[in-house]
């Protein structure tokens, strides 16, 4: 009996063919397995019952890192397949570039070093002892070195390295069978240490030992990681961290810390079972963990982390080594700051010459290797959200290495025969490709006001289209999607792509920013209609004004704006996003509330008043982010965003610290005595529809008056609760109006775990079914996927 079996999913780059060959041998089958474009094709020869059992086993088991979507089985009635008449066993054959045109290919992301490789690397008797680039069929770089599919050594940047006899032998059997990154001390890329100052000692230290010595001595080292260059320093050395901040142009934003093992993390941070599962997973993401103490001690209890590492943050971005190089280094240094090797705002650097050009004269050494990295992949960043039942769920702050390019699988496919290409927004930009039942979203690229990010987006977009053979898909037309903002670089890119396409087979579509935020949640859960609540800093509205506190009634691909903050004119758009004191002054002036002393100098206030009175450079803004900034400033917590969200983060910290100090439940009624609330009025919105408007004037006036006698943290907590109560109140009215009971929460403000907790709790108590982002970032990184999902709904209607 002859059978054709096809396996679709993430089944290349993770040792799937060797797994199939071993399993087929176990079931006493003859035949072959090969990569066919983006799938695995198997021809099995043997007893029908054994073939059936073999196919069933393929559906229920697979190698670590794989994702099996479908296993199809077709018995061949014709003669024996050509070329198999001399096949006495089961073999792995050369890959084919033939592609199935009916779906987007799934390819695995880069995989962190596995436990077995780490054991080999630490075994003095193993031939890969202390080989920093050790890998196997279950771990190592994948997407960062992929030129094209199918995934074979010659289609990666490992193609320039010829295997030594030992590696060639291992390539044919065992745990490195057909491991395309197989290498060793003899034949693979080697670690090189470049040091600008010539050494005077006669020691024979390895490059890693020398780099560790420099870090412990207060120096800065460049490291070529899996997804690009990084910079490393001792977190206990204030001057070294200060120097690192100067080099990167990163003033206050907290740094992530890489630890050698879980024990070291647990000495500094609270770690739940879910957080430990994430930290030790093959992804090796950065996980935001709550600190143990106000002052964090290292394991030797002699040194504290420098104040300029994490500042006042209640959390540490902690992660474990993702490669042998990182593991060997941290074993010698202990925990170290490891941050992307770039100037803040620029993309992560992957090219050796560019990194040397920008940093060689500013740092104290570079650990690198010659294997080429094709695309930058920053470390992914995750935060755990705990709901009122203490259920833990991972939520993305940044989705990149370890997750990209895994797709979002849709329960209901997009419109048949359409290719969707979405360009996202300008901040935290990603782009997405959609077809059939999946959407592939790019890695985090950065903010597109930087020309280097713009260039990267163009290059990655072209690479993704080539790798996933978008032009070869069986499609009737292509739909190009952008944000509605006419000044966005991403909007211009979408327009350029449309202009260079066949107009007869291409459509150009703009999706409103906050609608796309909600669309990203709808896509994760295959929801067609809901009440959407999108809170963020800014987004271009259908009326040409800046939105950001949106209550939307979403049906299919359409929406109605049903509620928002009362717009406040903010003077100076760009500066207004950074200067919380400016936002606070504008809120108070627009609300006829007395401005407390010390917010701004008299001369600055005079200029703001003049600008508002004459409507000069003053733009209506209903962004929730600006309100959080204003309150943070008025409570004396933070008055300027030296990095995105700083004021809001510190406002959240103050509220959580109050809860910790008083040991109160998050939703205790004790804060109700402050009577902090938002005025809500029912006004006429667009197209004469009813719209709920939240007026902040009374709330801000009350906060200012209470500040003299009340605990600042208590007021910060009361503010969060006031927002959550307003959300509940408007949601109840919208349910009565629309009949909808599903609510989707999205937008950068909902990265605030306290606000999300309160809103989720209040809404669930009223019987709402609440959804929020889990697979996609809740910030602008999820917008491109939301654009595609909504465009798909529009095409179905």
């Amino acid at each position: 009996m002859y059978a054709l079996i096809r396996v679709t999913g993430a089944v290349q780059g993770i040792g799937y063919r060797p797994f199939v060959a071993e399993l087929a041998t176990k079931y006493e089958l003859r035949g072959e397995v090969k990569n066919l474009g983006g799938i695995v094709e198997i021809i099995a020869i043997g007893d029908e019952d054994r073939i059936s059992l073999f196919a069933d086993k393929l559906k229920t088991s697979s190698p670590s890192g794989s994702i099996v979507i479908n296993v199809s089985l077709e018995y061949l009635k014709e003669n024996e397949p050509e070329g198999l008449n001399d096949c006495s066993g089961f073999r792995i054959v050369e890959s084919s570039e033939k592609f199935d045109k009916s779906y987007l290919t799934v390819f695995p992301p880069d995989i962190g070093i596995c436990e077995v490789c780490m054991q080999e690397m630490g075994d003095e008797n193993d031939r890969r002892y202390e080989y920093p680039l050790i890998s196997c069929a279950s771990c190592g770089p994948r997407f960062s070195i992929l030129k094209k599919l199918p995934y074979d050594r010659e289609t990666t940047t490992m193609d320039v390295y010829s295997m030594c006899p030992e590696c060639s032998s291992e390539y044919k059997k065992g745990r490195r069978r057909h491991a395309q990154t197989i290498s060793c001390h003899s034949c693979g890329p080697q670690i090189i240490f470049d040091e600008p100052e010539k050494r005077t000692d006669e020691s024979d230290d390895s490059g890693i030992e020398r780099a560790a010595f420099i870090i412990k001595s207060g120096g800065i080292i460049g490291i070529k990681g899996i997804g690009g260059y990084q910079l490393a320093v001792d977190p206990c050395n204030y001057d070294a961290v200060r120097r690192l901040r100067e080099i990167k142009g990163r003033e206050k934003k907290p740094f992530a810390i890489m630890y050698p093992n879980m024990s070291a993390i647990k000495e500094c941070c609270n770690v739940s079972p879910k957080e430990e599962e994430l930290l030790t997973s093959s992804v090796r993401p950065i996980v935001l963990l709550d600190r143990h103490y106000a002052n964090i001690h290292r394991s030797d209890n002699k040194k504290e982390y420098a104040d300029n590492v994490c500042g006042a943050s209640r959390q540490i971005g902690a992660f474990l080594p993702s490669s042998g190089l990182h593991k060997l280094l941290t074993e010698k240094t202990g925990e170290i700051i490891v941050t992307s090797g770039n100037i803040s705002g620029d993309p992560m650097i992957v090219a050796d010459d560019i990194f040397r050009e920008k940093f060689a004269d500013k740092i104290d050494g570079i650990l690198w290797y010659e294997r080429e990295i094709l695309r930058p992949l920053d470390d992914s960043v995750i935060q755990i959200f705990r709901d009122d039942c203490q259920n833990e769920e991972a939520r993305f702050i940044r989705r990149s290495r370890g997750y990209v390019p895994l797709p979002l699988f849709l329960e209901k496919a997009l419109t048949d025969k359409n290719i969707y290409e979405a360009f996202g927004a300008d901040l935290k930009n990603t782009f997405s490709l959609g077809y059939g039942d999946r959407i592939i979203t790019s890695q985090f690229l950065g903010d597109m006001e930087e020309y280097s990010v713009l260039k990267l987006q163009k290059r990655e977009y072209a690479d993704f289209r080539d790798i996933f053979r978008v032009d070869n898909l069986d499609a009737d037309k292509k739909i190009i999607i952008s944000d509605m903002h006419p000044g966005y670089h991403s909007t211009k890119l979408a327009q350029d792509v449309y202009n260079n396409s066949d107009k007869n087979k291409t459509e150009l579509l703009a999706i409103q920013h906050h609608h796309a935020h909600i669309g990203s949640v709808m896509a994760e859960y295959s929801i067609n209609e809901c009440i959407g609540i999108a809170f963020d800093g800014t987004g271009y509205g259908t009326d040409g004004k800046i939105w950001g506190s949106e209550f939307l009634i979403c049906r299919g691909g359409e929406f109605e704006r049903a509620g928002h903050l009362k717009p406040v004119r903010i003077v100076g758009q760009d500066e207004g996003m950074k200067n919380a004191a400016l936002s606070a002054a504008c809120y108070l002036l627009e609300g006829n509330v007395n401005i407390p002393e010390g917010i701004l100098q008299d001369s600055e206030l005079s200029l703001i008043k003049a600008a508002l009175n004459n409507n000069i450079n003053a733009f209506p803004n209903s962004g929730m982010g600006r309100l959080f900034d204003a309150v943070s400033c008025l409570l004396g917590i933070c008055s300027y965003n030296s990095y995105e969200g700083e004021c809001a983060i510190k406002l959240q910290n103050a509220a959580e610290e109050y809860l910790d100090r008083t040991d109160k439940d998050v939703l205790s009624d004790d804060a109700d005595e402050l009577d902090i609330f938002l005025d809500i009025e029912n006004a006429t919105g667009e197209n004469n529809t009813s719209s709920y408007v939240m007026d902040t004037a009374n709330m801000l006036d009350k906060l200012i008056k209470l500040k003299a006698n009340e605990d600042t943290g208590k007021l910060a907590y009361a503010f969060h609760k006031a927002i959550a109560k307003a959300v509940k109140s408007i949601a109840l009215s919208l349910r009565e109006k629309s009949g909808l009971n599903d609510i989707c929460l999205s937008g950068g403000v909902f990265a605030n775990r306290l606000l999300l907790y309160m809103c989720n709790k209040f809404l669930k108590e009223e019987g709402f079914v609440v959804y929020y982002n889990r697979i996609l970032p809740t910030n602008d990184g999820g917008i491109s996927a939301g654009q595609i999902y909504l465009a798909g709904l529009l095409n179905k209607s």
Side-chain angles (χ1 to χ4, degrees):
M1 180 66 67
Y2 305 94
L4 173 64
I5 301 173
R6 287 183 171 176
V7 185
T8 60
V11 287
Q12 293 189 22
I14 39 77
Y16 196 82
R17 285 180 296 169
F19 163 77
V20 169
E22 291 179 12
L23 188 64
T25 301
K26 177 182 176 181
Y27 282 94
E28 299 180 353
L29 300 175
R30 294 188 299 121
E32 65 180 31
V33 57
K34 65 180 177 182
N35 286 334
L36 179 65
I39 69 173
V40 167
E41 184 176 271
I42 305 163
I43 294 179
I45 306 169
D47 180 78
E48 183 176 351
D49 290 340
R50 292 184 180 274
I51 291 175
S52 178
L53 291 170
F54 170 64
D56 288 342
K57 190 67 174 178
L58 291 174
K59 296 176 183 178
T60 59
S61 63
S62 61
S64 175
S66 62
I67 299 175
V68 174
I69 300 173
N70 184 57
V71 178
S72 67
L73 170 61
E74 175 188 355
Y75 289 104
L76 304 176
K77 303 300 183 183
E78 63 269 19
N79 294 329
E80 187 173 283
E82 184 179 351
L84 286 176
N85 52 359
D86 59 347
C87 180
S88 59
F90 202 94
R91 65 191 184 190
I92 298 173
V93 300
E94 185 177 347
S95 300
S96 168
E97 293 193 9
K98 183 179 178 181
F99 268 72
D100 191 320
K101 298 181 178 182
S102 62
Y103 58 85
L104 278 171
T105 301
V106 181
F107 186 77
D110 289 9
I111 305 169
I113 183 171
C114 69
E115 290 295 327
V116 181
C117 280
M118 278 199 285
Q119 291 172 7
E120 290 179 347
M121 190 175 64
D123 183 357
E124 294 183 2
N125 298 316
D126 193 281
R127 72 185 196 88
R128 289 188 177 84
Y129 173 60
E130 294 195 341
Y131 178 55
L133 300 176
I134 189 171
S135 66
C136 67
S138 300
C139 70
R142 297 292 188 270
F143 193 54
S144 61
I145 63 171
L146 179 69
K147 296 178 181 179
K148 64 177 184 177
L149 291 173
Y151 177 73
D152 285 310
R153 194 175 181 95
E154 58 268 24
T155 61
T156 73
T157 58
M158 285 296 295
D159 61 343
V160 298
Y161 296 97
S162 299
M163 287 181 275
C164 65
E166 290 87 350
C167 284
S168 293
S169 176
E170 292 175 336
Y171 188 74
K172 299 173 184 176
K173 60 183 179 180
R175 55 186 297 270
R176 288 188 172 86
R177 187 178 184 185
H178 280 260
Q180 309 305 342
T181 55
I182 187 172
S183 61
C184 68
H185 290 288
S186 300
C187 66
Q190 305 300 309
I191 293 297
I192 305 165
F193 184 63
D194 290 340
E195 190 173 357
E197 297 294 330
K198 190 172 182 179
R199 294 172 55 177
T200 57
D201 61 89
E202 298 296 327
S203 68
D204 59 352
D205 290 349
S206 71
I208 293 176
E209 289 173 329
R210 181 63 181 169
F213 174 79
I214 291 173
I215 290 173
K216 290 190 289 185
S217 301
I220 300 177
I221 291 296
I223 303 172
K224 189 174 184 180
I226 295 297
Y229 271 95
Q230 300 165 314
L231 296 167
V233 300
D234 180 358
C236 301
N237 190 311
Y238 183 93
D239 289 337
V241 178
R242 175 187 54 77
R243 185 175 153 220
L244 177 64
R245 289 194 178 279
E246 291 173 354
I247 289 172
K248 281 181 62 70
R250 178 168 166 164
E251 187 178 351
K252 292 183 180 179
K253 187 176 181 180
F255 283 120
I257 299 176
M258 180 180 286
Y259 293 80
N261 49 53
M262 275 303 307
S263 297
I265 294 179
K266 289 180 178 180
E267 287 181 15
C268 298
C269 306
N270 298 320
V271 184
S272 72
K274 180 66 174 180
E275 287 165 337
E276 183 167 357
E277 177 186 331
L278 282 167
L279 287 162
T280 57
S281 71
S282 64
V283 176
R284 300 290 200 278
I286 296 171
V287 181
L288 301 183
L289 303 174
D290 288 331
R291 295 182 174 201
H292 272 326
Y293 318 107
N295 293 318
I296 303 302
H297 294 268
R298 294 181 66 183
S299 56
D300 54 18
N301 287 322
K302 294 178 181 178
K303 292 184 177 180
E304 298 176 2
Y305 292 159
D307 292 339
N308 55 353
V309 174
C310 298
S313 175
R314 290 168 52 84
Q315 295 187 305
I316 289 178
F319 61 134
L320 291 170
S322 58
S323 71
L325 174 57
H326 292 109
K327 179 65 175 175
L328 291 172
L329 184 62
T330 55
E331 284 178 347
K332 294 174 172 60
T333 61
E335 55 262 48
I336 52 176
I337 290 172
V338 178
T339 185
S340 56
N342 60 351
I343 304 300
S344 289
D346 287 345
M348 195 176 193
I349 297 173
V350 297
D352 305 324
D353 56 343
I354 294 177
F355 184 79
R356 282 193 290 270
E357 176 187 336
K358 290 185 178 293
F359 290 101
D361 61 343
K362 299 180 178 67
I363 61 179
D364 306 298
I366 304 173
L367 274 173
W368 67 290
Y369 52 87
E370 292 183 336
R371 182 183 64 210
E372 186 181 6
I373 300 173
L374 295 179
R375 55 192 55 87
L377 293 164
D378 292 87
D379 293 305
S380 294
V381 182
I382 292 175
Q383 183 178 48
I384 290 295
F385 171 66
R386 298 175 182 86
D387 65 15
D388 55 304
C389 298
Q390 293 302 300
N391 296 314
E392 293 189 324
E393 291 177 326
R395 306 188 71 228
F396 283 100
I397 305 298
R398 182 170 70 204
R399 184 178 182 270
S400 192
R401 182 187 57 77
Y403 294 98
V404 174
L406 291 177
L408 169 65
F409 294 102
L410 306 173
E411 289 184 17
K412 301 171 185 176
L414 298 164
T415 304
D416 290 342
K417 305 299 185 180
N418 286 342
I419 296 170
Y420 296 84
E421 299 181 358
F423 288 80
D426 271 17
L427 297 180
K428 295 180 173 60
N429 180 261
T430 65
F431 62 85
S432 291
L433 307 175
Y435 182 78
D437 66 348
R438 61 201 67 169
I439 299 172
I440 297 176
T441 299
S442 75
Q443 72 271 38
F444 162 86
L445 297 172
D447 296 345
M448 294 186 70
E449 63 183 12
E450 298 292 338
Y451 180 61
S452 54
V453 176
L454 183 62
K455 288 199 303 181
L456 174 65
Q457 207 261 27
K458 291 180 179 180
R459 187 177 75 240
E460 287 299 289
Y461 165 70
D463 281 355
F464 269 61
R465 295 189 83 258
D466 285 345
I467 288 171
F468 297 106
R469 304 287 183 94
V470 172
D471 287 335
N472 290 349
L473 293 170
D474 184 11
D476 294 332
K477 63 180 178 178
K478 178 169 65 175
I479 300 175
I480 307 298
I481 315 153
S482 74
D483 192 271
M484 290 184 64
H485 198 304
Y488 271 0
H489 295 288
S490 54
T491 302
K492 176 66 164 54
L493 281 176
Q495 181 71 56
D496 289 346
V497 171
Y498 174 74
N499 290 339
N500 291 311
S501 301
D502 181 351
K503 302 297 190 304
N504 294 321
K505 296 183 178 180
T506 310
E507 293 181 11
L508 181 63
L509 180 66
I511 299 288
Q512 198 278 326
H513 186 93
H514 303 97
H515 192 204
H517 268 306
I518 301 306
S520 70
V521 184
M522 294 170 70
E524 290 192 32
Y525 299 93
S526 291
I527 295 171
N528 287 352
E529 56 182 22
C530 68
I531 297 170
I533 304 175
F535 288 171
D536 66 2
T538 61
Y540 192 83
T542 57
D543 57 1
K545 297 178 181 178
I546 300 300
W547 294 4
S549 53
E550 307 312 306
F551 291 79
L552 310 176
I553 296 176
C554 304
R555 299 185 190 275
E558 306 283 353
F559 78 93
E560 172 192 338
R561 192 186 193 200
H564 53 86
L565 284 172
K566 181 179 180 180
V568 170
R569 288 178 299 160
I570 304 292
V571 175
Q573 284 187 321
D574 292 340
E575 180 62 16
M577 293 178 64
K578 297 179 180 179
N579 191 341
L582 192 157
S583 292
C586 291
Y587 264 95
L588 299 181
L589 288 169
E590 291 278 84
N592 295 315
V593 178
N594 291 328
I595 299 177
E597 293 184 4
I599 296 296
L600 287 169
Q601 295 180 3
D602 290 343
S603 59
E604 292 175 303
L605 279 175
S606 296
L607 288 173
I608 294 171
K609 289 178 181 178
L612 291 174
N613 290 335
N614 295 285
N615 204 30
I616 299 173
N617 197 27
F619 303 94
N621 187 310
S622 56
M624 186 62 72
R626 300 292 75 79
L627 176 61
F628 270 74
D629 287 350
V631 172
S632 185
C633 173
L634 292 173
L635 295 183
I637 294 169
C638 186
S639 61
Y640 196 85
N641 289 303
S642 65
Y643 58 89
E644 186 184 6
E646 180 180 5
C647 293
I649 290 169
K650 289 183 176 178
L651 181 66
Q652 174 192 333
N653 288 345
E656 292 181 337
E657 287 165 4
Y658 164 74
L659 292 170
D660 289 346
R661 288 196 311 272
T662 56
D663 196 29
K664 293 184 183 297
D665 178 77
V666 172
L667 296 180
S668 166
D669 289 333
D670 291 2
D672 286 348
E673 66 192 56
L674 300 181
D675 198 25
I676 304 296
F677 61 91
L678 276 169
D679 290 329
I680 302 173
E681 62 181 50
N682 196 354
T684 301
E686 292 183 75
N687 302 319
N688 294 318
T689 57
S690 176
S691 178
Y692 293 93
V693 178
M694 298 174 285
D695 192 335
T696 62
N698 288 332
M699 180 187 68
L700 295 178
D701 187 36
K702 190 69 176 286
L703 283 172
I704 292 169
K705 291 175 179 177
L706 289 171
K707 183 177 180 296
N709 300 310
E710 288 289 353
D711 180 284
T712 298
K714 187 174 184 179
L715 293 175
Y717 164 71
F719 167 71
H720 280 79
K721 193 170 183 181
I723 298 297
K725 283 188 170 182
V727 165
K728 180 181 75 172
S729 178
I730 294 178
L732 287 169
S733 297
L734 294 182
R735 178 168 63 185
E736 184 176 352
K737 171 184 177 180
S738 67
L740 298 172
N741 196 55
D742 289 347
I743 290 187
C744 293
L745 308 175
S746 191
V749 171
F750 280 115
N752 182 321
R753 62 184 180 181
L754 177 59
L755 180 66
L756 179 62
Y757 179 95
M758 289 178 165
C759 291
N760 183 53
K761 172 75 170 174
F762 282 155
L763 293 169
K764 285 168 60 179
E765 286 177 345
E766 298 296 334
F768 287 101
V769 181
V770 183
Y771 302 94
Y772 41 82
N773 293 108
R774 294 182 178 91
I775 298 173
L776 299 165
T778 194
N779 55 42
D780 284 8
I783 278 184
S784 61
Q787 290 172 337
I788 286 180
Y789 188 73
L790 294 173
L793 291 180
L794 282 170
N795 273 279
K796 286 182 179 180
S797 60

